[in-house]
Amino acid sequence: MYHTMTRLFSSSQQHIAEAAQLLRSGELVAFPTETVYGLGARVFDESAVRRIFVAKGRPSDNPLIVHCAEKADVERVSEPLEKSQQRLFDALYEAFCPGALTILLPKHSSVLNAVTAGLETVAVRFPAHPLAQALIRAVGEPLVAPSANRSGYPSPTTAEHVMSDLEGRIAAVIDGGACSVGIESTVVNILTPELTILRPGSITKEQLDGIAVKQGFAPFVYANENASENAAPQSPGMKYRHYAPNADVFLASSLAEAQHLALTYPPAQILARREYVDGASIDELSEQSLYATLRNADAEKCRTVIILCDEEVQKNVALMNRITKAASKR
Ligand code: AMP
Ligand code: MG
C-alpha cells in the first residue's frame, strides 16, 4: 500500500493554497464540509480518483459525489436537463444550495466511469462550508469527495477522525473543527418520473416536497432499499455496511430496556436524546454527535452501544437511517 506522511493543515490561506497544489499534482486531501469530512481528489484525474477507492477500502461500484463551488461548475460535469427538470433543479438550488443536498444529473461524457461507477448519472453537491468552497476555487475544478473514513466505519466529523482512519494513506487533512451537520447529505433523483430520496439527510422530505409541489411535481418518495439488494441498486452505496463501530450496536425503545441491555452486555455506552443525559452513563444522541460518540465508544473499548430510539428519535428519518445501518452487521 502507498504510504506517505499525512500533513495536518490549518484553515490559513497559505495552507489552503498548499492543499490545492497537492490536489493539482494528483494527491488526495481531506477537507471539512458542513456534513462530514470529505476525501478530495480532482474530478478529472483518473489515477487520483482510483486511489480514493484504495485509501478508503471502498468498493469500486459505490459512486462518488462531485463537489462544486458554484452553479456554473455544473456544466463541466453534467449534460443539459430537460426544461421541467431544469426548473426543479433551479428551485432546489435556490432553496437549499449551497448546503447538504446532493442531486443526480445526467453525466457529461468527460466524467470518468470511476467517479460514477459506470452509471449514466453523476451526483452533484455544493458544500456550504467556506473552507470547502475556498479549496475547490483554489484548485479551479470540482472535487470528488466521499466521506474521509475507512469504508464501513462511521464517517469523520473532525480532522482527528480522518487522521485515525487514513493517516499515512493521504497527503493532508485541513482542520476546520467539528462539522455542524454531522451526517451525510440528502441524495435525490429528479431525473425519473417519480422524484425519489435515495439517502435521507438533514434536508427533509417535507422541505423538498414544499419545493417540488410548488413546481407542479408530485411529492418525493423514499427509494426502497430492500428492493435494491438484488436488482440494480438505484444508489449503489445503499447496499453496503455503513457507519458501524467495532462495538455491537443495539436499539432500545425505552430507557428501562436500554439500561437492562447495558447491564447484560458490559462495558456499554447508552446514547439518548439530551433530556436523558446523566453524566457518564448516558451520552447525547443527535445528528451532530452520533458518529463522534460511536467512535468514542470504540476508543473506550465498549463492547456495546445502546441507542434509545424513543418516538421523538423515530420521527427523524435521517438519524434512524444511520442508526439502523450502524446496528446492522452486514
Ligand atoms: P459518501 O460519499 O460516502 O457519502 O457516499 C456517496 C453516496 O452517494 C453513494 O454511496 C451513493 O449511494 C450515492 N451516489 C453517488 N453517486 C450516485 C449516482 N450517480 N447515482 C446514485 N447514487 C449515487
Ligand atoms: Mg461514506
Side-chain angles (χ1 to χ4, degrees):
M1 172 72 209
Y2 171 87
H3 198 274
T4 186
M5 197 196 79
T6 301
R7 299 182 60 191
L8 184 61
F9 285 148
S10 73
S11 58
S12 71
Q13 272 185 12
Q14 173 60 29
H15 274 171
I16 298 292
E18 282 186 51
Q21 188 48 45
L22 285 169
L23 285 160
R24 275 196 297 269
S25 65
E27 299 286 344
L28 308 183
V29 176
F31 60 94
T33 82
E34 68 278 21
T35 59
V36 302
Y37 274 70
L39 179 56
R42 282 178 53 229
V43 66
F44 299 121
D45 182 336
E46 179 144 27
S47 101
V49 169
R50 292 199 179 285
R51 292 223 319 274
I52 280 195
F53 289 88
V54 178
K56 281 179 56 78
R58 184 178 177 102
S60 61
D61 64 349
N62 191 359
L64 306 176
I65 294 172
V66 177
H67 289 62
C68 295
E70 47 214 301
K71 205 177 177 192
D73 290 343
V74 164
E75 288 167 28
R76 305 173 70 174
V77 294
S78 163
E79 294 293 339
L81 288 166
E82 285 167 22
K83 245 196 185 145
S84 67
Q85 291 170 345
Q86 184 67 47
R87 258 195 304 114
L88 180 56
F89 176 83
D90 290 342
L92 290 170
Y93 184 93
E94 187 63 33
F96 306 116
C97 301
L101 180 66
T102 296
I103 304 174
L104 298 200
L105 296 172
K107 164 191 173 316
H108 192 286
S109 58
S110 63
V111 175
L112 301 161
N113 281 324
V115 169
T116 63
L119 299 172
E120 285 310 305
T121 53
V122 60
V124 175
R125 182 165 103 79
F126 307 86
H129 198 297
L131 291 177
Q133 291 185 0
L135 183 66
I136 297 165
R137 290 210 169 91
V139 174
E141 172 175 307
L143 299 175
V144 289
S147 51
N149 55 308
R150 296 296 291 274
S151 203
Y153 204 58
S155 298
T157 56
T158 67
E160 292 75 38
H161 297 161
V162 178
M163 276 293 192
S164 106
D165 279 19
L166 298 177
E167 187 166 19
R169 293 171 165 250
I170 63 176
V173 188
I174 301 170
D175 188 351
C179 300
S180 59
V181 174
I183 60 170
E184 302 79 358
S185 58
T186 307
V187 180
V188 295
N189 187 355
I190 60 167
L191 304 175
T192 43
E194 188 167 63
L195 307 180
T196 51
I197 297 174
L198 299 176
R199 176 172 72 184
S202 60
I203 294 174
T204 64
K205 172 170 156 52
E206 290 67 32
Q207 288 175 289
L208 294 163
D209 286 348
I211 303 298
V213 170
K214 215 190 275 173
Q215 295 298 323
F217 289 81
F220 280 81
V221 298
Y222 289 109
N224 182 345
E225 298 195 20
N226 300 326
S228 72
E229 296 255 323
N230 304 311
Q234 289 194 57
S235 192
M238 298 192 307
K239 70 185 179 197
Y240 292 109
R241 182 176 191 266
H242 259 117
Y243 322 123
N246 299 323
D248 287 328
V249 176
F250 295 144
L251 276 51
S253 51
S254 69
L255 184 58
E257 187 191 354
Q259 285 167 333
H260 176 74
L261 284 166
L263 288 173
T264 314
Y265 304 103
Q269 180 64 54
I270 299 176
L271 309 190
R273 283 189 303 110
R274 176 176 302 193
E275 64 186 68
Y276 297 92
V277 172
D278 73 341
S281 72
I282 305 184
D283 272 355
E284 182 176 354
L285 169 66
S286 70
E287 290 182 4
Q288 207 266 333
S289 65
L290 174 69
Y291 293 145
T293 326
L294 293 177
R295 283 173 174 267
N296 193 48
D298 277 352
E300 291 181 359
K301 304 262 184 299
C302 288
R303 177 175 162 211
T304 48
V305 173
I306 296 137
I307 306 184
L308 173 49
C309 299
D310 62 5
E311 276 176 26
E312 208 48 49
V313 172
Q314 287 179 36
K315 281 187 220 154
N316 185 331
V317 178
L319 190 57
M320 279 309 291
N321 170 269
R322 305 311 191 274
I323 291 171
T324 315
K325 291 193 180 203
S328 140
K329 276 286 156 197
R330 202 167 41 80

